[in-house]
């Protein structure tokens, strides 16, 4: 997925093989997820005719090492809103855990047509689960150390530990997260789940160490969302179920949006 810089914004993009839709897809990865781990889904959706963009919270510097773009919840929200506006039209958002919360928090600011949410979570619950995930590794006190670094060192980065990664997750699938942002999540800053939002398809995992299945399924309550029948396993990384997930997202978007995004041939419309 090549990188694209326009103005002050940096995104990874995947061009459609043959453009078919009047909306772009914007991907918001979850905690510690790189754009690369989304390739099985984004490549399949691009093959089907979608223009796909992926917005991570880091970008590579000149040496290829990740450089933090968003150190706080508010910085991440602001950049999503700015990039979404710069795309210049309606968007469909695919997002997981933290990305899902960010997507819902800006849903009233952008022309979002639909959402696919993978293991969505309230930031406070996500922060608490992250804090618990540190304990089995003998890292008690790591969160307080993280907070000290966040308050005294600009740009401190945290690498995902093994308990959060499955056996098939490689280095290219992960990116570090800002220590300051992780500290904010642990304090439950800045998120109120909206009562209404664009139509959403919600996926949950039976065994994600950061997002409990029932917590994720809570995002499917109400008239705005429905739960997928496909259950994920383990920590959600998109390449573990790319084809099945891409097919289900495609069906959901076409059935939900129809001619709002699809350019149907005239002969079909006249039948």
């Amino acid at each position: 997925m090549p990188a694209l810089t326009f103005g002050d914004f940096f995104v990874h993009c995947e061009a459609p093989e043959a453009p078919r839709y009047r909306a772009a897809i914007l991907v918001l990865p979850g905690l510690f997820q790189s754009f690369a781990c989304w390739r099985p889904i984004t490549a399949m959706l691009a093959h089907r005719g979608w223009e796909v963009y992926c917005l991570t919270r880091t970008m590579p510097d000149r040496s290829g090492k990740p450089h933090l773009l968003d150190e706080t919840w508010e910085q991440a929200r602001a950049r999503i809103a700015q990039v979404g506006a710069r795309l210049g039209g309606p968007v469909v958002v695919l997002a997981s855990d933290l990305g899902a919360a960010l997507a819902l928090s800006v849903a009233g600011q952008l022309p979002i047509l639909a959402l696919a949410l993978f293991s969505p979570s309230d930031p406070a619950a996500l922060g608490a689960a992250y804090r618990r995930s540190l304990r089995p590794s003998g890292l008690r006190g790591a969160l307080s150390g993280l907070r000290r670094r966040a308050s005294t060192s600009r740009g401190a980065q945290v690498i995902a530990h093994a308990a959060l990664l499955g056996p098939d997750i490689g280095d290219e699938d992960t990116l570090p997260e800002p220590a300051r942002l992780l500290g904010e999540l642990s304090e439950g800053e800045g998120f109120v789940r909206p009562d209404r939002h664009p139509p959403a398809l919600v996926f949950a995992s039976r065994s994600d160490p950061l997002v409990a299945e029932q917590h994720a399924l809570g995002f499917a309550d109400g008239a705005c969302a429905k739960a997928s029948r496909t259950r994920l396993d383990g920590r959600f990384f998109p390449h573990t179920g790319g084809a099945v997930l891409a097919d289900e997202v495609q069906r959901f978007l076409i059935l939900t949006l129809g001619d709002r995004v699809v350019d149907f041939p005239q002969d079909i419309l006249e039948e």
Side-chain angles (χ1 to χ4, degrees), residues 43-67:
M44 291 176 189
L45 292 172
H47 176 69
R48 288 167 169 81
W50 295 94
E51 185 176 21
V52 185
Y53 297 89
C54 184
L55 183 66
T56 59
R57 287 175 295 281
T58 64
M59 67 176 288
D61 60 21
R62 292 182 179 179
S63 67
K65 295 181 180 179
H67 166 69

Side-chain angles (χ1 to χ4, degrees), residues 70-133:
D70 307 319
E71 294 187 46
T72 69
W73 166 268
E74 284 302 325
Q75 286 176 3
R77 282 187 75 252
R79 196 161 63 91
I80 291 167
Q82 290 170 334
V83 169
R86 282 290 294 272
L87 292 179
V91 294
V92 169
V93 175
L94 277 55
S96 64
D97 57 69
L98 176 60
L102 287 163
L104 291 171
S105 77
V106 300
Q109 300 172 242
L110 294 174
I112 297 175
L113 296 179
L115 301 140
L117 306 177
F118 301 85
S119 293
S121 177
D122 293 310
L126 193 61
Y130 175 72
R131 185 166 61 244
R132 289 193 300 271
S133 77

